[in-house]
Amino acid sequence: FLAEYDALPGVGHACGHNIIAAAAVGAGVALARVLDRAGLDATVLVDGTPAEETSGGKLPMIDEGLYRDVDVALSMHPDTRDTAGGTCLAVKTLAFAFTGRAAHAAAEPEKGVNALDAVIQTYNNINALRQHTRPDVRIHGIITHGGQAPNIVPDYARAEFYVRSAHLDYHKEILEKVRNCARGAALATGARLEMTEEPAFEPIRENAVLCRLALEVMRAFGLDAEDWSGRCSMGSTDFGNVSQVVPAIAPTFKIAPLTVACHHKDFADAAASADGDAAVLVAAKVLAVMGARLVLEPDLLRAVRAEFVRK
Ligand SMILES: [Zn+2]
């Protein structure tokens, strides 16, 4: 059971990871107790997985081999719907730092190399690129450094972009085009470019057998769970990387009406509401029952594994 727990700057638990943490721990405690009582030999692991909103705490955990002996990874996410299945976008963070040369912006501008111009050119190049990508692509960025004062030619400027796509091959293609946007800006302005990149979050690898199991158990607990198989939510998560190395699913549980936006303060309020608490309990039960069935029904686990290999 994967327990995310990080919050967002300014808006707190507007992604509801407090609910994920409590539900995963609850599922772990419940399932371990059942397995002990039944005398079954299986290991329940509850992982606290930090930094889902930023660098992706699950990535080093995967690299360290934490999931090597794991049969199935289960998690959940609070949402405005009850769903199981579906995938999401791969995302990679690219940072472009440009170094130019400072000069008096009025008296001797010809002696300067304007790093801010290089950032603006990069931004505009990416805006042009955005018109000619497939619809699953999302590129969005900010300028983190833009100079010191209007009368000094900026000798340092920096921008940061998230680049997303639903398909890993196409993601690689778009990433190279985005890099070229910055390279072209460096060439045009004469500023020196330094690129840094974070490891990519990968799309969720769907598992139809786990999806059917999740829907069945959620409905048994009275939830009106929708099958989101084949659909792509436009966000990204390091849970996607876990799903690439081990069969995994994270159904969503409704805590707020459809009008409430995730990453908004209203969602943080919902995550601390009675509906939020109810979602913790039902999600813990659903995940625990899914875990119990995967232990008790070897054919089910085999089918999950076969589906993982097939995909
Ligand atoms: Zn979030």
Side-chain angles (χ1 to χ4, degrees):
F1 298 116
L2 270 56
E4 295 172 6
Y5 56 88
D6 55 327
L8 290 155
V11 282
H13 274 303
C15 209
H17 294 186
N18 58 320
I19 290 180
I20 303 178
V25 170
V29 169
L31 181 57
R33 205 170 282 173
V34 167
L35 295 177
D36 278 348
R37 278 196 200 149
L40 287 163
D41 183 26
T43 303
V44 179
L45 200 65
V46 178
D47 296 333
T49 58
E52 192 274 341
E53 297 287 356
T54 51
S55 57
K58 298 180 191 74
L59 275 53
M61 295 170 121
I62 293 168
D63 293 344
E64 295 288 320
L66 187 73
Y67 300 101
R68 207 170 289 145
D69 300 320
V70 169
D71 290 307
V72 175
L74 300 176
S75 192
M76 61 81 70
H77 207 292
D79 204 290
T80 53
R81 307 168 185 271
D82 296 315
T83 74
T87 185
C88 64
L89 302 178
V91 65
K92 194 174 180 66
T93 307
L94 304 184
F96 304 118
F98 292 94
T99 305
R101 194 166 49 239
H104 194 295
E108 295 180 306
E110 71 280 4
K111 290 185 179 170
V113 173
N114 194 323
L116 176 61
D117 277 343
V119 159
I120 303 287
Q121 291 292 356
T122 302
Y123 205 96
N124 289 340
N125 288 344
I126 289 172
N127 273 345
L129 168 67
R130 196 185 278 117
Q131 296 299 318
H132 301 281
T133 62
R134 291 188 206 153
D136 61 284
V137 170
R138 294 284 188 278
I139 311 173
H140 38 101
I142 57 165
I143 296 173
T144 59
H145 299 75
Q148 306 294 334
N151 62 350
I152 308 168
V153 172
D155 64 347
Y156 181 79
R158 183 179 173 279
E160 221 174 274
F161 289 86
Y162 287 6
V163 182
R164 307 186 199 237
S165 168
H167 309 282
L168 277 178
D169 286 348
Y170 192 54
H171 192 223
K172 289 199 181 85
E173 203 179 309
I174 292 297
L175 281 166
E176 190 54 16
K177 289 185 177 183
V178 171
R179 290 184 196 106
N180 281 338
C181 289
R183 289 176 184 132
L187 190 63
T189 58
R192 188 169 51 80
L193 167 64
E194 198 189 322
M195 257 190 281
T196 47
E197 307 189 3
E198 301 279 339
F201 284 13
E202 293 173 358
I204 287 175
R205 183 166 170 176
E206 290 192 77
N207 189 297
V209 181
L210 279 179
C211 180
R212 276 197 297 276
L213 174 64
L215 289 169
E216 194 183 313
V217 178
M218 290 169 86
R219 287 168 186 163
F221 278 102
L223 299 174
D224 186 19
E226 298 169 46
D227 184 353
W228 270 46
S229 300
R231 293 176 72 162
C232 180
S233 74
M234 299 314 267
S236 308
T237 173
D238 58 359
F239 189 77
N241 299 58
V242 174
S243 75
Q244 298 291 342
V245 295
V246 65
I249 193 165
T252 69
F253 291 80
K254 180 177 171 148
I255 64 163
L258 277 175
T259 48
V260 173
C262 193
H263 287 201
H264 185 277
K265 194 193 161 299
D266 289 350
F267 201 89
D269 291 343
S273 70
D275 286 346
D277 290 350
V280 168
L281 289 176
V282 74
K285 289 175 191 171
V286 166
L287 296 184
V289 170
M290 288 177 70
R293 288 196 47 187
L294 288 162
V295 173
L296 290 166
E297 299 171 34
D299 284 351
L300 181 62
L301 186 57
R302 263 193 292 275
V304 167
R305 190 75 215 168
E307 168 75 357
F308 179 76
V309 173
R310 191 182 69 77
K311 280 266 171 74

